[in-house]
Amino acid sequence: MTASAYVGRLAPSPTGALHLGNVRTFMIAWLRARSVGGRVVLRTEDLDHPKDKPGAAAQAIADLEWLGFDWDEEYVQSERKPLYREALGELCRLGLAYPCVCSRRDVEAAQSAPHAGEQLFYPGTCRGRFANWESARRSMEGGRIPCWRFMTRPGSPVSFDDAFRGRFTEDVAATLGDFPLARDEGGAGYTLAVVVDDLLMGVTEVVRGDDLLAATPAQILIAEALLPWARKLLPSARPPAYCHVPLVVGPDGRRLAKRHGDTRIASYREAGVRPEDVLGMLAASCGWCGPSESPSLGALLPRFSLESIPKEPFVVRF
Ligand code: GLU
């Protein structure tokens, strides 16, 4: 990949304040792009209405700027709904999307071997059942609305080479079945939106937390299906490469959360901590500097390497 062809992205969700965990991943993503002279897209992923917190999107941007991040383009998903609607229309036209009225309980009941904590397998109960989303909605009670599902094809496993994790293969039809695309009439939901955006923003590599590794094959299936459509809008569009990096966890080994204490960037800032101190701690966890150094993002550029990042989650001790 030539230097200027790289396009990376930072995709904060305004469901809470930016904390050490998000920032470590963003730092890796930003350095990965900038260290090869690439471009960076900032995309606010604000489609998760019930969980989105007012003011969190602006606060995340202010926190990133305080830490020294910059980007070349900025997008907000809630302003891009017509594109998701168009993409969904394309999937319907291809016979790859259908509305589903099953509740979580229905899906659980259909499991042959339920595994706690794993995403549910969906056997395609609603395939071919409804002519459109509206007729599916009319069949539901209590204000519930249908979701959209992707029609998977058995026996076509997806493989990709993750820049951090190596080869990853999953037969989505066997593990997830017809996975949900979006819970919205017009297809504005995380799974579909993230694929549409990565294609149309020309993202060449997605660097993100490895909690999304298992969701990636499903996203690749959508990207492959939408590629001809996306190329009409952006002729250079192609499915991105992936790089999934370990999460930050608390001493109990669980993903960093409020119960672990306050690791919000805004709180460090208010307490008089300098951006370089936050970055230094995270950069040391990636093997790019010693524990008492306080480098700026720019100073980390020549030190960046994916290879030195430990494969295990980074444990923050309080
Ligand atoms: N917005 C998502 C998050 O904050 C990240 C999605 C992605 O990187 O694909 O968890």
Side-chain angles (χ1 to χ4, degrees):
M1 189 177 295
T2 58
S4 58
Y6 188 104
V7 181
R9 41 79 148 185
L10 313 177
S13 292
T15 48
L18 208 69
H19 56 70
L20 282 184
N22 315 122
V23 170
R24 186 174 189 260
T25 304
F26 290 154
M27 178 183 70
I28 298 169
W30 188 91
L31 289 168
R32 174 99 166 144
R34 294 299 197 211
S35 64
V36 293
R39 297 169 62 75
V40 176
V41 167
L42 178 95
R43 182 168 79 223
T44 296
E45 302 204 323
D46 60 345
L47 295 176
D48 197 359
H49 304 299
K51 289 200 213 142
D52 285 352
K53 305 262 182 317
Q59 183 65 54
I61 290 177
D63 291 345
L64 286 171
E65 285 173 336
W66 178 74
L67 287 163
F69 287 90
D70 65 357
W71 43 88
D72 306 289
E73 289 163 47
E74 195 171 320
Y75 300 94
V76 178
Q77 283 190 328
S78 57
E79 293 168 2
R80 297 169 57 79
K81 290 185 182 177
L83 275 173
Y84 310 139
R85 182 176 288 275
E86 209 183 305
L88 180 66
E90 179 66 9
L91 290 177
C92 289
R93 200 184 61 76
L94 294 168
L96 290 173
Y98 64 91
C100 163
V101 299
C102 294
S103 64
R104 189 175 170 89
R105 191 177 299 175
D106 296 335
V107 182
E108 273 166 5
Q111 302 298 295
S112 47
H115 300 290
E118 283 182 19
Q119 207 171 328
L120 295 173
F121 174 79
Y122 185 72
T125 319
C126 285
R127 272 192 188 198
R129 229 173 122 188
F130 302 101
N132 52 42
W133 194 88
E134 187 46 38
S135 60
R137 193 194 59 78
R138 276 200 303 267
S139 79
M140 298 181 88
E141 289 166 0
R144 288 175 54 230
I145 59 164
C147 73
W148 285 100
R149 288 188 180 271
F150 186 89
M151 199 176 301
T152 53
R153 263 191 313 130
S156 39
V158 177
S159 287
F160 66 100
D161 289 307
D162 189 89
F164 193 79
R165 292 283 166 202
R167 191 117 184 116
F168 189 82
T169 303
E170 189 180 344
D171 184 349
V172 181
T175 55
L176 299 181
D178 289 353
F179 57 86
L181 282 167
R183 188 167 275 286
D184 175 281
E185 181 184 359
Y190 167 71
T191 306
L192 181 58
V194 81
V195 174
V196 168
D197 284 349
D198 286 336
L199 283 175
L200 295 183
M201 292 171 190
V203 171
T204 59
E205 187 181 61
V206 170
V207 179
R208 62 185 177 189
D210 61 11
D211 53 330
L212 287 166
L213 183 64
T216 303
Q219 294 180 11
I220 291 174
L221 286 178
I222 307 171
E224 284 171 352
L226 286 178
L227 192 57
W229 167 81
R231 285 204 169 138
K232 286 188 213 142
L233 300 167
L234 181 73
S236 62
R238 60 186 161 137
Y242 290 91
C243 174
H244 288 90
V245 297
L247 294 180
V248 177
V249 297
D252 58 359
R254 291 165 72 191
R255 188 196 177 120
L256 205 59
K258 271 194 195 131
R259 65 176 167 273
H260 294 120
D262 189 356
T263 67
R264 289 175 300 170
I265 301 309
S267 306
Y268 292 125
R269 184 176 176 175
E270 279 156 30
V273 176
R274 296 176 308 151
E276 295 82 4
D277 298 328
V278 176
L279 293 169
M281 192 229 305
L282 296 174
S285 81
C286 295
W288 304 327
C289 70
S292 52
E293 285 181 70
S294 300
S296 65
L297 263 184
L300 287 169
L301 278 170
R303 306 193 200 180
F304 171 78
S305 118
L306 216 46
E307 289 69 40
S308 66
I309 303 174
K311 296 281 187 239
E312 308 73 44
F314 170 49
V315 185
V316 178
R317 304 201 180 274
F318 300 91

